[in-house]
Amino acid sequence: MTMTPISRTVELDPNRNVPGIRRPGFSDTLRAEWIKFWTVRSTQWSVATLFVMGAGLTVLVCWAAAGELASETADEAAAAFVTWGLMLAQIAAVVLGAMVVTSEYGTGMIRATLAATPSRGAVLAAKALVLTTTLFVVGTATAFAGYFGGNPFLENEGVGVALSDDGVLRAMVGSGLYMAGLGLFAAAVGLLVRHTAAALSIVLGLVFVVGNMVFLLPGAWGEWIGKLMPGNAGSAVSSAASFNPMLLDPWVGYAVFIGEVAVVLLAGYLVLRSRDA
Amino acid sequence: MIVASGLTKTYGSKTAVDGISFTVEPGRVTGFLGPNGAGKSTTMRMVLGLDRPTAGSVTVNGRRYADSPAPLREVGALLEAKAVHPGRSARNHLRWLAATNGIPVGRVDEVLDLVGLTEVARQRVGKFSLGMGQRLGIAVALLGDPRVVVLDEPVNGLDPEGIRWVRNLARRLAAEGRTVFVSSHLMSEMALTADHLVVIGRGRVLADCSMSDFIAEHAASYVLVRSPQRGEVADVLRRHGLDVAVHEDDELRVQGLDAPSIGELVGKNGLYLHELTLVRSSLEDAFMTLTADSVEYHAATPAGIAR
Ligand SMILES: Nc1ncnc2c1ncn2[C@@H]1O[C@H](COP(=O)(O)OP(=O)(O)O)[C@@H](O)[C@H]1O
Ligand SMILES: [Mg+2]
């Protein structure tokens, strides 16, 4: 049997095996989240899907619709089609945003994260920054790729759209902005429900199902609820001309959308800060 | 050093940890022993600031865990071994953890080597066996070369060789002067690893003493005495200040004197003995007895197989 040892505490040099001690700061948290973000395949898949679907479907739709748009009976603006693919590609942004948070709860890894960085606000800020930066860059690049791939088909039919045309450049950058906001929205919902499937159902349900159904509500207030739904308010900024005449002006809508995201994110932060990991 | 005082955690109406106080000193292995559901993991999560205590407090090296400037360099912990994204490689898992506390990447390869995972370092963790996952968890705990090491059931899922490895590791870390806090639901494991013992049952501290004191106090042996003159024998022994308990079958359990001396004492008084046996109680029995009232879910089998 082991005996209680006489006190023989040795003072360890804290830098013995790990040299270069330095109080870690936000840049370290950010770097850690960046590594974490890119070292799982789901990130690579989501980003690739966003780009391929977003740009690919835009090109496909421009090719298919060019003739129709050029005809006498055309009642839709060609400009509405140059970011068409993003309507579906936004699913990938939602998946990516939700997973950034919920995969940590699903695996229990959140405990390692919060033990390594006890400041929960810093963890959330770093996650949000990595996510939104990536989605903004990828979303904008996707919009440009779709434009440059699809516009030649429109030009062939004489209905081409120039980058200098009203709202076109704004739609390119707006696509990145909308993807970033939507990803953040999904991440914030993830903080509240801590479950991948639940977070995806809620966000996709709100954007694709509820967002469209509320327009069926009667009267002016139904119309307003429709305008204010996150997917409706936020997406206008990502298209040069809208298919839906009921939407708010692009920047007004985006401001409303960001306000909604901020509220959910704040709720998510409060839950993250107060609930046990 | 870890100091808990009045530490309490309730989940709804369920009290998982019930006002416990203890100190984990550096330079020795402190075993945190208790049956499943006793509150060990909950306590350890509170040490790391993951669960907020309902009441009481716990400090590591004199301050709250969250107030440590670089927590991984101060406290290394293994909580749940499999709490790793299955799609990430072991090396990448350690890389992001190292980044959080500004630990150089070289240390990542060092701890991978230390736990014997170098060859599988770039494989997805999802393919790891329970034992490999446990080794990765220990690599995480050692990443920052911390002065305080907290290991929650580190030998779960390990083969005998792995168990010996963890045991030696814990002892070596303590010998280096570190604070080592290891939980287990197995008395036999603790007996081989720990210098000091904190026994917990239903969220309360049942014993807090050195391993040797625990053995002396709770696994006390007794001398079994059988005699056709049971009453007289008991009287004689009691007159000499011995502790005598009468059990079924005329069995006397005597404590306070060794068997030969008891035999002589009885003989000098002209009484007969039919049996005189030293009975050593096993440590496992002592632990079972101590925690008998506090086990949450009794196993259906009489052997009491722990989950
Ligand atoms: N998050 C939680 N919510 C509700 N009950 C919990 C939670 N965590 C632990 N418990 C309960 O608290 C008690 C102690 O659990 P735990 O600390 O895991 O024990 P041990 O690690 O000693 O097996 C158990 O009854 C367990 O069911
Ligand atoms: Mg446990």
Side-chain angles (χ1 to χ4, degrees):
Chain A
M1 280 311 121
T2 47
M3 303 294 288
T4 312
I6 43 169
S7 181
R8 48 171 163 67
T9 307
V10 185
E11 260 317 304
L12 284 183
D13 172 7
N15 298 332
R16 210 165 32 107
N17 290 329
V18 182
I21 200 159
R22 165 177 65 81
R23 189 185 256 266
F26 184 66
S27 64
D28 296 289
T29 311
L30 198 58
R31 212 159 57 80
E33 286 301 327
W34 183 260
I35 295 171
K36 209 192 272 180
F37 185 73
W38 288 108
T39 49
V40 286
R41 266 185 233 171
S42 62
T43 300
Q44 285 142 31
W45 274 108
S46 301
V47 167
T49 306
L50 200 164
F51 186 83
V52 171
M53 278 224 304
L57 289 176
T58 298
V59 174
L60 202 66
V61 164
C62 286
W63 168 74
E68 168 81 22
L69 286 170
S71 71
E72 303 273 299
T73 57
D75 59 349
E76 282 167 323
F81 286 79
V82 293
T83 52
W84 195 90
L86 269 306
M87 279 199 301
L88 283 166
Q90 60 181 320
I91 297 172
V94 172
V95 171
L96 193 57
M99 294 284 282
V100 160
V101 169
T102 54
S103 77
E104 293 222 19
Y105 283 99
T107 57
M109 211 175 74
I110 188 70
R111 289 186 174 143
T113 298
L114 297 180
T117 312
S119 165
R120 299 184 179 190
V123 169
L124 178 54
K127 274 189 187 303
L129 205 55
V130 167
L131 177 70
T132 52
T133 307
T134 302
L135 281 176
F136 174 72
V137 171
V138 174
T140 306
T142 303
F144 274 111
Y147 169 78
F148 286 116
N151 196 44
F153 294 110
L154 302 178
E155 279 171 347
N156 276 347
E157 300 290 340
V159 289
V161 177
L163 274 179
S164 56
D165 283 1
D166 199 24
V168 176
L169 207 51
R170 190 259 301 137
M172 300 292 120
V173 179
S175 294
L177 287 175
Y178 178 52
M179 292 302 128
L182 200 58
L184 196 56
F185 185 54
V189 172
L191 286 171
L192 295 175
V193 299
R194 299 186 168 188
H195 192 274
T196 306
L200 290 181
S201 311
I202 291 170
V203 177
L204 293 177
L206 272 177
V207 171
F208 284 99
V209 184
V210 183
N212 286 319
M213 286 197 339
V214 287
F215 281 116
L216 303 177
L217 290 174
W221 67 274
E223 193 180 307
W224 269 102
I225 291 177
K227 284 183 202 287
L228 296 177
M229 288 297 292
N232 301 339
S235 61
V237 80
S238 68
S239 46
S242 180
F243 290 104
N244 187 341
M246 311 263 263
L247 296 185
L248 292 171
D249 282 345
W251 290 116
V252 176
Y254 193 69
V256 168
F257 174 58
I258 287 303
E260 290 164 345
V261 173
V263 168
V264 182
L265 192 63
L266 180 67
Y269 167 65
L270 293 177
V271 164
L272 175 68
R273 209 184 54 172
S274 59
R275 235 193 266 169
D276 291 334
Chain B
M1 185 147 96
I2 302 171
V3 179
S5 76
L7 199 57
T8 303
K9 182 70 190 180
T10 57
Y11 296 106
S13 62
K14 159 109 206 155
T15 302
V17 175
D18 196 358
I20 63 174
S21 302
F22 60 84
T23 301
V24 185
E25 302 270 3
R28 65 188 190 191
V29 177
T30 300
F32 196 30
L33 181 66
N36 280 306
K40 304 182 293 295
S41 300
T42 303
T43 301
M44 288 178 158
R45 286 199 302 274
M46 287 192 284
V47 171
L48 296 182
L50 294 170
D51 282 24
R52 180 172 301 186
T54 310
S57 66
V58 58
T59 60
V60 183
N61 296 338
R63 60 183 160 211
R64 284 188 329 135
Y65 177 88
D67 294 336
S68 172
L72 291 191
R73 290 170 181 268
E74 191 153 351
V75 185
L78 162 75
L79 293 183
E80 306 123 283
K82 275 289 185 174
V84 178
H85 193 295
R88 200 175 273 118
S89 73
R91 191 165 183 282
N92 281 335
H93 183 64
L94 290 164
R95 268 180 64 221
W96 78 256
L97 273 162
T100 57
N101 277 235
I103 296 166
V105 174
R107 178 65 181 167
V108 166
D109 297 316
E110 229 172 87
V111 289
L112 279 167
D113 205 37
L114 190 69
V115 301
L117 288 179
T118 303
E119 275 176 25
V120 292
R122 285 165 204 277
Q123 280 182 24
R124 292 153 41 94
V125 176
K127 290 185 189 157
F128 279 18
S129 66
L130 191 56
M132 287 157 84
Q134 207 77 348
R135 282 170 186 268
L136 177 59
I138 289 170
V140 169
L142 299 179
L143 189 60
D145 198 17
R147 277 189 299 159
V148 178
V149 179
V150 174
L151 305 174
D152 194 5
E153 307 256 5
V155 302
N156 266 8
L158 292 183
D159 53 16
E161 191 245 341
I163 292 175
R164 206 165 56 239
W165 175 75
V166 170
R167 192 182 297 150
N168 291 338
L169 179 76
R171 301 212 53 80
R172 200 177 72 228
L173 292 170
E176 288 172 354
R178 297 179 214 250
T179 303
V180 183
F181 193 37
V182 184
S183 82
S184 176
H185 63 274
L186 299 171
M187 180 71 226
S188 53
E189 183 48 42
M190 285 289 98
L192 292 169
T193 313
D195 307 300
H196 195 88
L197 211 53
V198 175
V199 183
I200 180 177
R202 281 216 182 152
R204 288 170 187 270
V205 173
L206 303 174
D208 182 351
C209 56
S210 72
M211 194 70 214
S212 46
D213 282 355
F214 183 84
I215 292 164
E217 186 170 338
H218 294 286
S221 50
Y222 61 90
V223 177
L224 188 158
V225 175
R226 247 190 263 277
S227 164
Q229 299 150 300
R230 181 171 57 110
E232 288 100 315
V233 169
D235 287 343
V236 165
L237 295 175
R238 285 199 181 106
R239 265 206 306 281
H240 283 81
L242 302 183
D243 189 6
V244 182
V246 184
H247 282 252
E248 67 269 23
D249 297 342
D250 294 344
E251 181 184 318
L252 299 177
R253 293 186 179 179
V254 186
Q255 279 181 305
L257 202 60
D258 57 84
S261 308
I262 290 173
E264 280 169 27
L265 194 61
V266 173
K268 275 185 199 146
N269 284 275
L271 300 167
Y272 294 99
L273 286 183
H274 284 180
E275 190 180 345
L276 183 67
T277 318
L278 174 67
V279 178
R280 280 191 185 282
S281 173
S282 81
L283 267 185
E284 206 68 55
D285 289 345
F287 172 55
M288 292 289 184
T289 311
L290 186 63
T291 58
D293 301 330
S294 62
V295 177
E296 254 198 329
Y297 312 103
H298 283 283
T301 56
I305 299 156
R307 283 178 301 162

